[in-house]
Amino acid sequence: MGAAQAVATARRVTWVGFWCNAVLGVAKVVGGIVGRSGALIADGIHSFSDFISDILVLVMVGIARRKPDERHEFGHGKYETLATILLSVVLFLVSFGIGAEAIEKIKAVAGGEVLPEPGMIALVICLASILVKEWLFHYTRRAGRKIHSEAVVANAWHHRSDAFSSVATLIGVAGAMFLGPHWRVLDPIAALIVALFIAILSVKLAMPAMNQLLGESLPEEQQVNIRRELTSTPGVITYHHLRTASSGADVIIDVHIKVDGNLTVNEAHKIATAAEDNIERLYPGVTVIVNTHIEPYEGEQIHLDGSCKN
């Protein structure tokens, strides 16, 4: 899939999520007010936070898929990494706000206050939200994996977190409705559980993006594939100094390859180009920057993975 198709796919699924979040956010807040459910209002605020994440994805993914230019010679992939980190920050702030309000209500109940009973509308909206957000999660994650977009996959998990929060809200609302006045504290308890879910998810999303910003190498399974392509390229006797990194969906690879020292410069260059092409085919639809340095093979010992020490 080409870069233009990848951007179009990312934008399509994000717009679908955007409008679903608009409808759900309004329905939850209105339903929470009418149905006297603080947990559902908190859940609605969570849905509205998805607006921010959707806008970030729409803007950042388009930028990240641009071709390298004079100011960004290694591509724009880190814009996507930045979007993922911003998504994580938004999630954490939302979790903090929901949790703080829930704790205040729990304290009020402990002080003798009786919370109002939630209405049936709150229960119906919770069920609808779970179904819609779970569908959005699978739809968005499938598209994100197809186009190798970290930000789109992160947005999918944002949808899943909303589904989790709706499950917790459903339990709290149902308990507050059917177990009597003393159990209405389940509504703010559900909101607190929602906050914890979201906070944990925000950290899980932030860590891989932070590792990218800190220059972490590609996963080992990807490095194994790169080594295989290097050693299977005709003319490459061995290699060393393999270095890898990712920049959003983009991939950066630097390697020294050793060839027959009697080859002409033109012949050695053709071998290096073939090795680069083989590696690039591992990442369809992704900007791959492969830098190969050619050296003469001088009898160095070759390891099992096809590399040499020097």
Side-chain angles (χ1 to χ4, degrees), residues 131-207:
L131 294 175
V132 172
K133 297 300 289 189
E134 187 65 14
W135 174 81
L136 274 176
F137 164 71
H138 290 286
Y139 173 64
T140 307
R141 184 178 65 165
R142 184 166 57 249
R145 287 178 172 177
K146 183 178 180 180
I147 64 175
H148 305 284
S149 173
E150 176 187 312
V152 173
V153 172
N155 208 28
W157 282 102
H158 201 169
H159 293 315
R160 169 58 69 84
S161 76
D162 214 0
F164 283 157
S165 70
S166 293
V167 170
T169 303
L170 176 67
I171 295 172
V173 170
M177 287 176 62
F178 301 120
L179 297 180
H182 296 296
W183 289 96
R184 291 175 190 168
V185 71
L186 288 176
D187 189 84
I189 289 176
L192 183 59
I193 293 172
V194 168
L196 291 174
F197 270 129
I198 301 170
I200 292 170
L201 177 61
S202 70
V203 174
K204 287 183 177 180
L205 289 177
M207 291 308 296

Side-chain angles (χ1 to χ4, degrees), residues 20-261:
C20 286
N21 290 328
V23 174
L24 285 175
V26 172
K28 288 178 184 178
V29 171
V30 173
I33 294 172
V34 174
R36 301 176 299 279
S37 172
L40 187 57
I41 293 173
D43 203 15
I45 294 171
H46 182 203
S47 292
F48 279 128
S49 74
D50 287 352
F51 276 118
I52 301 174
S53 68
D54 291 335
I55 292 170
L56 285 172
V57 171
L58 286 168
V59 174
M60 292 298 190
V61 169
I63 295 174
R65 297 297 172 133
R66 292 177 182 172
K67 296 292 184 182
D69 55 34
E70 291 183 359
R71 294 186 61 191
H72 305 87
E73 295 179 343
F74 286 95
H76 299 76
K78 280 195 166 57
Y79 281 92
E80 190 164 343
T81 305
L82 174 63
T84 302
I85 291 175
L86 291 176
L87 285 174
S88 302
V89 172
V90 169
L91 280 171
F92 186 81
L93 293 176
V94 168
S95 72
F96 182 82
I98 293 173
E101 183 177 354
I103 289 172
E104 288 301 315
K105 288 189 176 182
I106 293 171
K107 287 180 179 179
V109 172
E113 182 178 331
V114 177
L115 298 177
E117 178 185 344
M120 182 59 68
I121 187 174
L123 198 65
V124 172
I125 293 175
C126 284
L127 286 170
S129 176
I130 292 168
L131 294 175
V132 172
K133 297 300 289 189
E134 187 65 14
W135 174 81
L136 274 176
F137 164 71
H138 290 286
Y139 173 64
T140 307
R141 184 178 65 165
R142 184 166 57 249
R145 287 178 172 177
K146 183 178 180 180
I147 64 175
H148 305 284
S149 173
E150 176 187 312
V152 173
V153 172
N155 208 28
W157 282 102
H158 201 169
H159 293 315
R160 169 58 69 84
S161 76
D162 214 0
F164 283 157
S165 70
S166 293
V167 170
T169 303
L170 176 67
I171 295 172
V173 170
M177 287 176 62
F178 301 120
L179 297 180
H182 296 296
W183 289 96
R184 291 175 190 168
V185 71
L186 288 176
D187 189 84
I189 289 176
L192 183 59
I193 293 172
V194 168
L196 291 174
F197 270 129
I198 301 170
I200 292 170
L201 177 61
S202 70
V203 174
K204 287 183 177 180
L205 289 177
M207 291 308 296
M210 289 299 298
N211 289 336
Q212 280 195 22
L213 290 180
L214 296 174
E216 186 176 74
S217 299
L218 294 175
E220 179 60 26
E221 59 269 22
Q222 293 188 35
Q223 295 194 47
V224 168
N225 292 335
I226 293 169
R227 296 185 191 111
R228 185 188 66 243
E229 294 301 326
L230 286 170
T231 56
S232 64
T233 301
V236 176
I237 300 173
T238 184
Y239 67 90
H240 67 139
H241 289 174
L242 173 62
R243 294 180 294 179
T244 66
S246 58
S247 178
D250 299 345
V251 174
I252 301 171
I253 298 166
D254 188 89
V255 64
H256 294 197
I257 62 172
K258 289 184 177 285
V259 301
D260 185 344

